[in-house]
Amino acid sequence: MASTTPPPTGAAAPASVDFGPFTAHFATQRAQGNRPEQQDETLILAPLDLAPVLPGRPKTLARVTPLALFAVMDGHGSDGGKASRSVRDALAREAPVHFAAAVAEHVPEDGDAEDVAAVERAIRQALAATVLAVHGDLTTDAGVDCYLSGTTLVLAALTARSVHVANLGDSRAVLGRVRPDGSVEAKPLSNDHTCSNKEELDRVLKKGARVERSATEGAGDDGPLRLFKGSMPYPGLVVTRALGDTASTAIGVLSTPELTDHALDVSGGGGDTMLILASDGVWDGLPGPTEAIGVVQRVLAKAPANGGVSGRVAEVASKKLIKAALAGLDKRQIDDNVSNVCVLLTKNEGAQ
């Protein structure tokens, strides 16, 4: 039976960060499943420390911090594991540089402290610039053959007011909300970039891609739509956006992320309670995003009796997600890696 594996060396241990109105508690877990190689990676940079790259700007730092980044990568191809690990390391290296540059441009030291829009613009610009730089780093990494290999990326930036997401591929970010009646709701913060997405399909077809449904072990003829180059038997790619995959750019596969954002409501009696980032193995193993939210909500419901919500509670929830996803994949006879970052949001006492 597959078991969870610890995050890579250097990844954050279960922890919490105080954002003022709320505290974020987070953890990450991965499992190889029955695949011969683990090609998923995760990364937590919380808090993202901009002080060393923005010296002498205390007012600017106060307006943009705390800030946290969470990421999930799902590699594919023969060098998919190398690609996801390369992206993980590049993100940790590039993010502080590009967030500092965007903040310096849009959030001046003597600027209006109430100009929230400037901070939002800075974060959007920083996410796009970071992903661009990471793609460049990956495709010039001599240790990775990116011609027919690459990785998805879902990257979330969390602030005291909002969550911003940059996404390429079919890993997903989902926000968990509690309705007034106590039931849970899943709010997708990303769109899948596959041929099931009409806009994505139209683009690759216009670029000359051949799109065919190929049988997948356990799925029979119901396998995913894949992209091919003319009459060639490659690349056979499922996603229409990814990092790497240089052979696929000619048929419309993009390395440009789709950006989305969501204004947070952490009201305590309801509203936003969790953020889940996960590879497609998790979403394939569970009936729907609401099921994933329900798995975490059941852990949250027990937290008050066990000392309250903490990073360790997030770790339990993350492990439960892995276990539920693996069980679902087994039922569907699908082999895949699974990984997630689980972020729990709790209102701080006295916060408005």
Side-chain angles (χ1 to χ4, degrees), residues 276-313:
I276 299 171
L277 280 68
S279 61
D280 69 329
V282 170
W283 309 114
D284 288 343
L286 296 171
T290 302
E291 176 65 21
I293 298 301
V295 169
V296 177
Q297 183 62 26
R298 288 190 287 275
V299 175
L300 272 174
K302 297 177 181 178
N306 296 316
V309 181
S310 65
R312 292 299 175 188
V313 173

Side-chain angles (χ1 to χ4, degrees), residues 104-268:
E105 177 180 344
H106 292 284
V107 189
E109 182 70 5
D110 58 354
D112 180 2
E114 302 302 317
D115 188 1
V116 176
V119 176
E120 305 287 300
R121 286 193 300 272
I123 292 174
R124 285 192 291 269
Q125 178 177 310
L127 284 171
T130 297
V131 173
L132 177 64
V134 166
H135 177 67
D137 290 348
L138 173 61
T139 55
T140 56
D141 186 337
V144 186
D145 183 353
C146 288
Y147 188 66
L148 293 174
S149 296
T151 183
T152 71
L153 170 66
V154 59
L155 172 64
L158 182 67
T159 75
R161 297 184 180 89
S162 59
V163 57
H164 295 255
V165 173
N167 183 54
L168 306 98
D170 57 1
S171 297
R172 297 178 190 169
V174 174
L175 194 74
R177 316 192 74 187
V178 178
R179 299 188 183 97
D181 64 1
S183 61
V184 295
E185 172 188 4
K187 177 180 173 60
L189 299 182
S190 61
N191 298 304
D192 284 358
H193 299 132
T194 67
C195 289
S196 297
N197 180 323
K198 186 178 184 305
E199 289 185 13
E200 297 290 305
L201 175 62
D202 288 346
R203 185 187 69 250
V204 296
L205 288 175
K206 287 178 181 177
K207 286 290 187 177
R210 185 176 97 250
V211 178
E212 293 182 356
R213 191 178 300 279
S214 59
T216 298
E217 184 178 355
D221 294 331
D222 294 326
L225 293 169
R226 294 181 182 271
L227 301 174
F228 297 91
K229 211 171 184 179
S231 60
M232 302 294 185
Y234 66 86
L237 197 59
V238 171
V239 293
T240 54
R241 300 192 194 203
L243 300 175
D245 293 295
T246 56
S248 301
T249 56
I251 55 173
V253 174
L254 301 180
S255 57
T256 306
E258 182 177 16
L259 303 178
T260 61
D261 56 74
H262 170 80
L264 289 170
D265 171 21
V266 186
S267 57

Side-chain angles (χ1 to χ4, degrees), residues 46-93:
L48 181 65
D49 187 7
L50 297 181
V53 283
L54 281 174
R57 304 188 67 159
K59 293 180 182 178
T60 294
L61 283 171
R63 291 175 60 192
V64 298
T65 57
L67 174 66
L69 296 184
F70 308 99
V72 168
M73 287 104 353
D74 180 359
H76 49 259
S78 60
D79 268 13
K82 293 179 181 179
S84 61
R85 289 188 290 274
S86 178
V87 166
R88 178 199 69 200
D89 295 344
L91 275 173
R93 185 173 62 246

